[in-house]
Amino acid sequence: MRSPMGRVVLRVPAMPPHRRRVARALLQEGALAAGGVVLDGPNEELLLIGAEAGRAVRLRGLLDRLIGSQVTGLWSLERDAAALQAYAAAAEAGAPGPNGSGPALAGLDGWLRALPLERVVRRVTGMRLDPSGGPARPAFLRLSIARQPLACLLGGLGADADLIEHATRSLAARLLIAIGDPSQRRELMGSSLPGPLHLPVPPAPLSGRSDGGGGGGRGALVATLGLEMAANPAALQARRESLGLQGWALELEGLDAASLRLLAIEALPADWLRITWSPALAAPSAMAALRRADPERVILAGVSDDTALDWARHMGLRLLEGAAAEAGPGLQVPRPVPAVVSAASRHAAAAPARPAA
């Protein structure tokens, strides 16, 4: 953590599925006020990492009342480093590896259909920098399939890159349907949206059409596609036009310093360009390539320290993802964007239930 002072880790033990869903929702709501990030811990535990201590203590009391006894744990990032390291080491040692338990290949698709999405869906709030130097503000929400937890759950199959790709696409298709289901939406997204909703979209095109996203507005839903789509600019342009007819904007992810040297990113037919930070981006050739693109189209991911944050400011980038962007004091969460959820519901039924591997 960049700023451990006054920050804690809240640990919630395993509990029955219905209570676990409520506990996760409380943690995610608490994170909006107290800061931090909600993660799955070992053995079905839940963790809120990096929360402000006072708010976390109040949240802990609420969770203990839900569980019925004081069984939650609280670690200080300032004072309990040894205990946290021991916990992390034990969790890593007990994590399923390539030879661990998991589904058989013949039953993989059925297992994927039954896997609770909340175990593998990662939720990230993108931030917008204030050009005047004020605190960053939430600007959009990204839902994605977390590959590392998925690989662990797959056990022996998790060592096969092709099977991980197949599983990720299948779960992404399920996620598109789930956000249109009121019984699942709140658990996956929280109670409000700070802006556009970015979702992983399988390579197979969405079916169906609507006029401007059914009221959501062009760009209120953002389809995130892998960089491999850029290999065929004509097909990418056609995909963008097709998505646009349904009210979706298109985002390309996977860009980095190496791809900036190979691609004319300013000519890519995409509404958003998601670039992952690394020190190699500070090389003159990478910076020159990036300056040719509209900074308003660029989202910089992986902003985990001041070096990345300062570089983003220097380049005039405003949309960021990462702990350094979220660390500013006085975060204010904008009002919900109900039209986005409405449009997502309309489009969810058109998403493919099981994409091809």
Side-chain angles (χ1 to χ4, degrees):
M1 296 290 294
R2 290 176 58 252
S3 304
M5 294 183 61
R7 299 283 168 170
V8 300
V9 175
L10 177 59
R11 173 188 177 186
V12 180
M15 60 185 68
H18 65 286
R19 288 193 175 186
R20 190 175 193 272
R21 287 193 291 271
V22 175
R24 178 185 286 274
L26 289 173
L27 287 174
Q28 289 173 335
E29 292 297 324
L32 294 176
V37 59
V38 179
L39 296 176
D40 289 299
N43 303 317
E44 301 293 322
E45 294 180 347
L46 293 170
L47 301 171
L48 174 58
I49 300 176
E52 187 272 320
R55 294 177 185 269
V57 168
R58 293 192 288 273
L59 179 59
R60 183 187 187 188
L62 181 62
L63 288 164
D64 284 334
R65 290 195 294 275
L66 169 69
I67 298 168
S69 60
Q70 187 170 348
V71 294
T72 56
L74 199 68
W75 287 301
S76 166
L77 285 170
E78 297 176 72
R79 297 181 296 276
D80 300 325
L84 279 165
Q85 288 174 344
Y87 175 80
E92 184 176 357
N99 298 317
S101 60
L105 180 59
L108 175 59
D109 286 334
W111 182 87
L112 289 170
R113 289 193 293 271
L115 178 67
L117 283 174
E118 62 268 18
R119 299 190 66 181
V120 291
V121 170
R122 182 184 179 209
R123 190 168 98 175
V124 173
T125 300
M127 310 299 291
R128 179 178 290 276
L129 290 183
D130 183 345
S132 65
R137 297 174 63 89
F140 62 89
L141 180 68
R142 179 182 304 282
L143 300 182
S144 61
I145 306 299
R147 292 189 175 227
Q148 184 173 354
L150 176 59
C152 288
L153 292 170
L154 285 169
L157 300 184
D160 188 305
D162 289 336
L163 290 178
I164 287 287
E165 184 65 26
H166 168 67
T168 300
R169 293 180 181 183
S170 296
L171 293 168
R174 280 188 56 201
L175 178 59
L176 290 178
I177 297 173
I179 61 165
D181 179 358
S183 66
Q184 301 180 71
R185 180 191 305 150
R186 181 183 176 88
E187 185 170 354
L188 293 169
M189 297 170 49
S191 60
S192 64
L193 284 171
L197 176 62
H198 293 237
L199 293 164
V201 172
L206 298 178
S207 60
R209 292 181 57 170
S210 69
D211 296 325
R218 177 77 160 83
L221 293 165
V222 181
T224 301
L225 301 176
L227 186 59
E228 64 274 9
M229 295 292 295
N232 187 338
L236 180 59
Q237 177 62 33
R239 187 75 189 278
R240 183 187 185 190
E241 293 172 357
S242 174
L243 286 165
L245 291 173
Q246 301 172 72
W248 291 73
L250 185 147
E251 173 186 63
L252 274 182
E253 69 171 355
L255 288 159
D256 55 16
S259 57
L260 286 182
R261 292 192 293 269
L262 298 173
L263 297 170
I265 63 168
E266 71 277 7
L268 290 174
D271 300 286
W272 301 100
L273 303 169
R274 186 171 186 251
I275 301 176
T276 301
W277 160 256
S278 74
L281 282 175
S285 58
M287 292 176 66
L290 185 57
R291 284 194 174 101
R292 291 194 294 269
D294 180 357
E296 292 297 322
R297 297 174 60 206
V298 174
I299 296 173
L300 185 66
V303 182
S304 58
D305 56 32
D306 285 336
T307 300
L309 187 60
D310 291 343
W311 182 87
R313 293 185 189 277
H314 173 72
M315 295 297 294
L317 304 181
R318 299 290 175 233
L319 294 174
L320 311 181
E321 297 176 24
E326 298 176 24
L331 286 181
Q332 300 179 30
V333 180
R335 298 175 62 186
V337 188
V340 178
V341 177
S342 174
S345 302
R346 289 179 169 85
H347 289 300
R354 285 179 57 197

PDB file of all heavy atoms in Angstrom, residues 10-38:
ATOM      1  N   LEU A  10     -10.006  -5.798   6.592  1.00  0.00           N
ATOM      2  CA  LEU A  10     -11.139  -6.416   7.272  1.00  0.00           C
ATOM      3  C   LEU A  10     -11.355  -7.800   6.680  1.00  0.00           C
ATOM      4  O   LEU A  10     -11.493  -7.952   5.469  1.00  0.00           O
ATOM      5  CB  LEU A  10     -12.393  -5.555   7.112  1.00  0.00           C
ATOM      6  CG  LEU A  10     -13.701  -6.093   7.711  1.00  0.00           C
ATOM      7  CD1 LEU A  10     -13.557  -6.330   9.207  1.00  0.00           C
ATOM      8  CD2 LEU A  10     -14.833  -5.118   7.437  1.00  0.00           C
ATOM      9  N   ARG A  11     -11.365  -8.810   7.544  1.00  0.00           N
ATOM     10  CA  ARG A  11     -11.493 -10.205   7.112  1.00  0.00           C
ATOM     11  C   ARG A  11     -12.831 -10.770   7.570  1.00  0.00           C
ATOM     12  O   ARG A  11     -13.185 -10.675   8.743  1.00  0.00           O
ATOM     13  CB  ARG A  11     -10.339 -11.029   7.696  1.00  0.00           C
ATOM     14  CG  ARG A  11     -10.415 -12.527   7.488  1.00  0.00           C
ATOM     15  CD  ARG A  11      -9.308 -13.192   8.299  1.00  0.00           C
ATOM     16  NE  ARG A  11      -9.340 -14.636   8.223  1.00  0.00           N
ATOM     17  CZ  ARG A  11      -8.551 -15.427   8.929  1.00  0.00           C
ATOM     18  NH1 ARG A  11      -7.685 -14.901   9.790  1.00  0.00           N
ATOM     19  NH2 ARG A  11      -8.628 -16.746   8.814  1.00  0.00           N
ATOM     20  N   VAL A  12     -13.577 -11.347   6.635  1.00  0.00           N
ATOM     21  CA  VAL A  12     -14.887 -11.933   6.935  1.00  0.00           C
ATOM     22  C   VAL A  12     -14.807 -13.432   6.673  1.00  0.00           C
ATOM     23  O   VAL A  12     -14.399 -13.849   5.581  1.00  0.00           O
ATOM     24  CB  VAL A  12     -15.991 -11.299   6.060  1.00  0.00           C
ATOM     25  CG1 VAL A  12     -17.341 -11.904   6.381  1.00  0.00           C
ATOM     26  CG2 VAL A  12     -16.022  -9.788   6.266  1.00  0.00           C
ATOM     27  N   PRO A  13     -15.171 -14.269   7.636  1.00  0.00           N
ATOM     28  CA  PRO A  13     -15.023 -15.710   7.460  1.00  0.00           C
ATOM     29  C   PRO A  13     -16.040 -16.280   6.477  1.00  0.00           C
ATOM     30  O   PRO A  13     -16.979 -15.599   6.046  1.00  0.00           O
ATOM     31  CB  PRO A  13     -15.260 -16.251   8.866  1.00  0.00           C
ATOM     32  CG  PRO A  13     -16.203 -15.255   9.479  1.00  0.00           C
ATOM     33  CD  PRO A  13     -15.778 -13.920   8.931  1.00  0.00           C
ATOM     34  N   ALA A  14     -15.847 -17.543   6.142  1.00  0.00           N
ATOM     35  CA  ALA A  14     -16.796 -18.243   5.279  1.00  0.00           C
ATOM     36  C   ALA A  14     -18.152 -18.332   5.968  1.00  0.00           C
ATOM     37  O   ALA A  14     -18.248 -18.415   7.197  1.00  0.00           O
ATOM     38  CB  ALA A  14     -16.279 -19.637   4.955  1.00  0.00           C
ATOM     39  N   MET A  15     -19.208 -18.299   5.163  1.00  0.00           N
ATOM     40  CA  MET A  15     -20.561 -18.373   5.692  1.00  0.00           C
ATOM     41  C   MET A  15     -21.474 -18.951   4.605  1.00  0.00           C
ATOM     42  O   MET A  15     -21.042 -19.092   3.455  1.00  0.00           O
ATOM     43  CB  MET A  15     -21.039 -16.992   6.145  1.00  0.00           C
ATOM     44  CG  MET A  15     -21.060 -15.946   5.044  1.00  0.00           C
ATOM     45  SD  MET A  15     -21.496 -14.296   5.673  1.00  0.00           S
ATOM     46  CE  MET A  15     -20.054 -13.923   6.662  1.00  0.00           C
ATOM     47  N   PRO A  16     -22.708 -19.293   4.934  1.00  0.00           N
ATOM     48  CA  PRO A  16     -23.617 -19.833   3.908  1.00  0.00           C
ATOM     49  C   PRO A  16     -23.759 -18.875   2.734  1.00  0.00           C
ATOM     50  O   PRO A  16     -23.611 -17.655   2.893  1.00  0.00           O
ATOM     51  CB  PRO A  16     -24.949 -19.990   4.667  1.00  0.00           C
ATOM     52  CG  PRO A  16     -24.545 -20.151   6.097  1.00  0.00           C
ATOM     53  CD  PRO A  16     -23.329 -19.295   6.273  1.00  0.00           C
ATOM     54  N   PRO A  17     -24.031 -19.417   1.527  1.00  0.00           N
ATOM     55  CA  PRO A  17     -24.059 -18.589   0.319  1.00  0.00           C
ATOM     56  C   PRO A  17     -24.947 -17.359   0.414  1.00  0.00           C
ATOM     57  O   PRO A  17     -24.559 -16.273  -0.045  1.00  0.00           O
ATOM     58  CB  PRO A  17     -24.537 -19.553  -0.766  1.00  0.00           C
ATOM     59  CG  PRO A  17     -24.114 -20.897  -0.279  1.00  0.00           C
ATOM     60  CD  PRO A  17     -24.247 -20.841   1.213  1.00  0.00           C
ATOM     61  N   HIS A  18     -26.153 -17.488   1.011  1.00  0.00           N
ATOM     62  CA  HIS A  18     -27.052 -16.343   1.039  1.00  0.00           C
ATOM     63  C   HIS A  18     -26.494 -15.229   1.931  1.00  0.00           C
ATOM     64  O   HIS A  18     -26.603 -14.042   1.616  1.00  0.00           O
ATOM     65  CB  HIS A  18     -28.450 -16.770   1.507  1.00  0.00           C
ATOM     66  CG  HIS A  18     -28.519 -17.257   2.924  1.00  0.00           C
ATOM     67  ND1 HIS A  18     -28.041 -18.495   3.307  1.00  0.00           N
ATOM     68  CD2 HIS A  18     -29.017 -16.674   4.049  1.00  0.00           C
ATOM     69  CE1 HIS A  18     -28.239 -18.660   4.616  1.00  0.00           C
ATOM     70  NE2 HIS A  18     -28.817 -17.568   5.087  1.00  0.00           N
ATOM     71  N   ARG A  19     -25.849 -15.595   3.043  1.00  0.00           N
ATOM     72  CA  ARG A  19     -25.250 -14.581   3.905  1.00  0.00           C
ATOM     73  C   ARG A  19     -23.981 -14.011   3.277  1.00  0.00           C
ATOM     74  O   ARG A  19     -23.679 -12.831   3.456  1.00  0.00           O
ATOM     75  CB  ARG A  19     -24.935 -15.180   5.278  1.00  0.00           C
ATOM     76  CG  ARG A  19     -26.164 -15.441   6.123  1.00  0.00           C
ATOM     77  CD  ARG A  19     -25.801 -15.719   7.552  1.00  0.00           C
ATOM     78  NE  ARG A  19     -26.971 -15.847   8.402  1.00  0.00           N
ATOM     79  CZ  ARG A  19     -26.924 -15.982   9.730  1.00  0.00           C
ATOM     80  NH1 ARG A  19     -25.759 -16.013  10.338  1.00  0.00           N
ATOM     81  NH2 ARG A  19     -28.034 -16.090  10.424  1.00  0.00           N
ATOM     82  N   ARG A  20     -23.263 -14.861   2.567  1.00  0.00           N
ATOM     83  CA  ARG A  20     -22.037 -14.391   1.913  1.00  0.00           C
ATOM     84  C   ARG A  20     -22.366 -13.319   0.873  1.00  0.00           C
ATOM     85  O   ARG A  20     -21.628 -12.348   0.717  1.00  0.00           O
ATOM     86  CB  ARG A  20     -21.306 -15.563   1.267  1.00  0.00           C
ATOM     87  CG  ARG A  20     -19.898 -15.224   0.758  1.00  0.00           C
ATOM     88  CD  ARG A  20     -19.216 -16.499   0.250  1.00  0.00           C
ATOM     89  NE  ARG A  20     -17.802 -16.279   0.042  1.00  0.00           N
ATOM     90  CZ  ARG A  20     -17.256 -15.824  -1.075  1.00  0.00           C
ATOM     91  NH1 ARG A  20     -18.036 -15.522  -2.097  1.00  0.00           N
ATOM     92  NH2 ARG A  20     -15.950 -15.672  -1.184  1.00  0.00           N
ATOM     93  N   ARG A  21     -23.469 -13.501   0.152  1.00  0.00           N
ATOM     94  CA  ARG A  21     -23.863 -12.499  -0.840  1.00  0.00           C
ATOM     95  C   ARG A  21     -24.170 -11.168  -0.167  1.00  0.00           C
ATOM     96  O   ARG A  21     -23.799 -10.100  -0.669  1.00  0.00           O
ATOM     97  CB  ARG A  21     -25.069 -13.005  -1.636  1.00  0.00           C
ATOM     98  CG  ARG A  21     -24.725 -14.114  -2.632  1.00  0.00           C
ATOM     99  CD  ARG A  21     -25.864 -14.338  -3.596  1.00  0.00           C
ATOM    100  NE  ARG A  21     -27.026 -14.929  -2.952  1.00  0.00           N
ATOM    101  CZ  ARG A  21     -27.231 -16.240  -2.822  1.00  0.00           C
ATOM    102  NH1 ARG A  21     -26.345 -17.099  -3.316  1.00  0.00           N
ATOM    103  NH2 ARG A  21     -28.309 -16.705  -2.247  1.00  0.00           N
ATOM    104  N   VAL A  22     -24.852 -11.231   0.964  1.00  0.00           N
ATOM    105  CA  VAL A  22     -25.164  -9.999   1.696  1.00  0.00           C
ATOM    106  C   VAL A  22     -23.879  -9.358   2.221  1.00  0.00           C
ATOM    107  O   VAL A  22     -23.691  -8.140   2.136  1.00  0.00           O
ATOM    108  CB  VAL A  22     -26.140 -10.292   2.848  1.00  0.00           C
ATOM    109  CG1 VAL A  22     -26.366  -9.033   3.693  1.00  0.00           C
ATOM    110  CG2 VAL A  22     -27.478 -10.791   2.303  1.00  0.00           C
ATOM    111  N   ALA A  23     -22.975 -10.188   2.768  1.00  0.00           N
ATOM    112  CA  ALA A  23     -21.718  -9.667   3.304  1.00  0.00           C
ATOM    113  C   ALA A  23     -20.891  -9.000   2.205  1.00  0.00           C
ATOM    114  O   ALA A  23     -20.308  -7.936   2.408  1.00  0.00           O
ATOM    115  CB  ALA A  23     -20.924 -10.792   3.959  1.00  0.00           C
ATOM    116  N   ARG A  24     -20.843  -9.618   1.031  1.00  0.00           N
ATOM    117  CA  ARG A  24     -20.080  -9.019  -0.072  1.00  0.00           C
ATOM    118  C   ARG A  24     -20.685  -7.674  -0.472  1.00  0.00           C
ATOM    119  O   ARG A  24     -19.960  -6.700  -0.717  1.00  0.00           O
ATOM    120  CB  ARG A  24     -20.046  -9.965  -1.266  1.00  0.00           C
ATOM    121  CG  ARG A  24     -19.301  -9.377  -2.470  1.00  0.00           C
ATOM    122  CD  ARG A  24     -19.398 -10.300  -3.665  1.00  0.00           C
ATOM    123  NE  ARG A  24     -18.549 -11.450  -3.512  1.00  0.00           N
ATOM    124  CZ  ARG A  24     -17.256 -11.481  -3.845  1.00  0.00           C
ATOM    125  NH1 ARG A  24     -16.674 -10.379  -4.326  1.00  0.00           N
ATOM    126  NH2 ARG A  24     -16.547 -12.566  -3.704  1.00  0.00           N
ATOM    127  N   ALA A  25     -22.014  -7.617  -0.547  1.00  0.00           N
ATOM    128  CA  ALA A  25     -22.668  -6.359  -0.908  1.00  0.00           C
ATOM    129  C   ALA A  25     -22.355  -5.268   0.123  1.00  0.00           C
ATOM    130  O   ALA A  25     -22.083  -4.117  -0.239  1.00  0.00           O
ATOM    131  CB  ALA A  25     -24.172  -6.564  -1.033  1.00  0.00           C
ATOM    132  N   LEU A  26     -22.365  -5.631   1.414  1.00  0.00           N
ATOM    133  CA  LEU A  26     -22.040  -4.653   2.454  1.00  0.00           C
ATOM    134  C   LEU A  26     -20.597  -4.187   2.333  1.00  0.00           C
ATOM    135  O   LEU A  26     -20.294  -3.001   2.502  1.00  0.00           O
ATOM    136  CB  LEU A  26     -22.287  -5.261   3.838  1.00  0.00           C
ATOM    137  CG  LEU A  26     -23.753  -5.483   4.231  1.00  0.00           C
ATOM    138  CD1 LEU A  26     -23.842  -6.251   5.541  1.00  0.00           C
ATOM    139  CD2 LEU A  26     -24.476  -4.146   4.355  1.00  0.00           C
ATOM    140  N   LEU A  27     -19.683  -5.118   2.059  1.00  0.00           N
ATOM    141  CA  LEU A  27     -18.277  -4.746   1.900  1.00  0.00           C
ATOM    142  C   LEU A  27     -18.089  -3.822   0.703  1.00  0.00           C
ATOM    143  O   LEU A  27     -17.332  -2.843   0.763  1.00  0.00           O
ATOM    144  CB  LEU A  27     -17.417  -5.995   1.731  1.00  0.00           C
ATOM    145  CG  LEU A  27     -17.191  -6.851   2.979  1.00  0.00           C
ATOM    146  CD1 LEU A  27     -16.435  -8.122   2.621  1.00  0.00           C
ATOM    147  CD2 LEU A  27     -16.426  -6.071   4.049  1.00  0.00           C
ATOM    148  N   GLN A  28     -18.752  -4.131  -0.398  1.00  0.00           N
ATOM    149  CA  GLN A  28     -18.598  -3.301  -1.590  1.00  0.00           C
ATOM    150  C   GLN A  28     -19.178  -1.906  -1.379  1.00  0.00           C
ATOM    151  O   GLN A  28     -18.601  -0.909  -1.837  1.00  0.00           O
ATOM    152  CB  GLN A  28     -19.251  -3.999  -2.787  1.00  0.00           C
ATOM    153  CG  GLN A  28     -18.466  -5.230  -3.237  1.00  0.00           C
ATOM    154  CD  GLN A  28     -19.180  -6.026  -4.295  1.00  0.00           C
ATOM    155  OE1 GLN A  28     -20.411  -5.987  -4.409  1.00  0.00           O
ATOM    156  NE2 GLN A  28     -18.431  -6.795  -5.081  1.00  0.00           N
ATOM    157  N   GLU A  29     -20.313  -1.838  -0.688  1.00  0.00           N
ATOM    158  CA  GLU A  29     -20.868  -0.530  -0.368  1.00  0.00           C
ATOM    159  C   GLU A  29     -19.951   0.213   0.610  1.00  0.00           C
ATOM    160  O   GLU A  29     -19.725   1.414   0.482  1.00  0.00           O
ATOM    161  CB  GLU A  29     -22.269  -0.686   0.237  1.00  0.00           C
ATOM    162  CG  GLU A  29     -23.318  -1.197  -0.730  1.00  0.00           C
ATOM    163  CD  GLU A  29     -23.546  -0.236  -1.886  1.00  0.00           C
ATOM    164  OE1 GLU A  29     -23.489   0.986  -1.678  1.00  0.00           O
ATOM    165  OE2 GLU A  29     -23.760  -0.716  -3.007  1.00  0.00           O
ATOM    166  N   GLY A  30     -19.414  -0.533   1.586  1.00  0.00           N
ATOM    167  CA  GLY A  30     -18.507   0.082   2.541  1.00  0.00           C
ATOM    168  C   GLY A  30     -17.250   0.615   1.890  1.00  0.00           C
ATOM    169  O   GLY A  30     -16.710   1.642   2.297  1.00  0.00           O
ATOM    170  N   ALA A  31     -16.778  -0.082   0.859  1.00  0.00           N
ATOM    171  CA  ALA A  31     -15.557   0.345   0.172  1.00  0.00           C
ATOM    172  C   ALA A  31     -15.751   1.689  -0.518  1.00  0.00           C
ATOM    173  O   ALA A  31     -14.789   2.448  -0.679  1.00  0.00           O
ATOM    174  CB  ALA A  31     -15.127  -0.719  -0.846  1.00  0.00           C
ATOM    175  N   LEU A  32     -16.970   1.989  -0.933  1.00  0.00           N
ATOM    176  CA  LEU A  32     -17.219   3.284  -1.564  1.00  0.00           C
ATOM    177  C   LEU A  32     -16.987   4.432  -0.596  1.00  0.00           C
ATOM    178  O   LEU A  32     -16.545   5.509  -0.982  1.00  0.00           O
ATOM    179  CB  LEU A  32     -18.653   3.335  -2.106  1.00  0.00           C
ATOM    180  CG  LEU A  32     -18.976   2.385  -3.264  1.00  0.00           C
ATOM    181  CD1 LEU A  32     -20.449   2.479  -3.612  1.00  0.00           C
ATOM    182  CD2 LEU A  32     -18.117   2.696  -4.476  1.00  0.00           C
ATOM    183  N   ALA A  33     -17.284   4.189   0.694  1.00  0.00           N
ATOM    184  CA  ALA A  33     -17.114   5.232   1.698  1.00  0.00           C
ATOM    185  C   ALA A  33     -15.763   5.158   2.395  1.00  0.00           C
ATOM    186  O   ALA A  33     -15.132   6.181   2.667  1.00  0.00           O
ATOM    187  CB  ALA A  33     -18.229   5.143   2.746  1.00  0.00           C
ATOM    188  N   ALA A  34     -15.306   3.922   2.683  1.00  0.00           N
ATOM    189  CA  ALA A  34     -14.089   3.737   3.467  1.00  0.00           C
ATOM    190  C   ALA A  34     -12.860   3.531   2.599  1.00  0.00           C
ATOM    191  O   ALA A  34     -11.744   3.508   3.108  1.00  0.00           O
ATOM    192  CB  ALA A  34     -14.257   2.543   4.419  1.00  0.00           C
ATOM    193  N   GLY A  35     -13.050   3.386   1.293  1.00  0.00           N
ATOM    194  CA  GLY A  35     -11.919   3.095   0.422  1.00  0.00           C
ATOM    195  C   GLY A  35     -11.589   1.613   0.457  1.00  0.00           C
ATOM    196  O   GLY A  35     -12.235   0.818   1.132  1.00  0.00           O
ATOM    197  N   GLY A  36     -10.562   1.236  -0.281  1.00  0.00           N
ATOM    198  CA  GLY A  36     -10.142  -0.155  -0.300  1.00  0.00           C
ATOM    199  C   GLY A  36     -10.776  -0.927  -1.426  1.00  0.00           C
ATOM    200  O   GLY A  36     -11.551  -0.396  -2.232  1.00  0.00           O
ATOM    201  N   VAL A  37     -10.436  -2.207  -1.467  1.00  0.00           N
ATOM    202  CA  VAL A  37     -10.915  -3.084  -2.524  1.00  0.00           C
ATOM    203  C   VAL A  37     -11.367  -4.394  -1.902  1.00  0.00           C
ATOM    204  O   VAL A  37     -10.764  -4.881  -0.941  1.00  0.00           O
ATOM    205  CB  VAL A  37      -9.809  -3.325  -3.581  1.00  0.00           C
ATOM    206  CG1 VAL A  37      -8.574  -3.957  -2.953  1.00  0.00           C
ATOM    207  CG2 VAL A  37     -10.309  -4.184  -4.724  1.00  0.00           C
ATOM    208  N   VAL A  38     -12.452  -4.969  -2.420  1.00  0.00           N
ATOM    209  CA  VAL A  38     -13.006  -6.226  -1.921  1.00  0.00           C
ATOM    210  C   VAL A  38     -12.443  -7.373  -2.757  1.00  0.00           C
ATOM    211  O   VAL A  38     -12.511  -7.345  -3.985  1.00  0.00           O
ATOM    212  CB  VAL A  38     -14.545  -6.227  -1.987  1.00  0.00           C
ATOM    213  CG1 VAL A  38     -15.101  -7.559  -1.493  1.00  0.00           C
ATOM    214  CG2 VAL A  38     -15.111  -5.070  -1.160  1.00  0.00           C
TER     215      VAL A  38
END
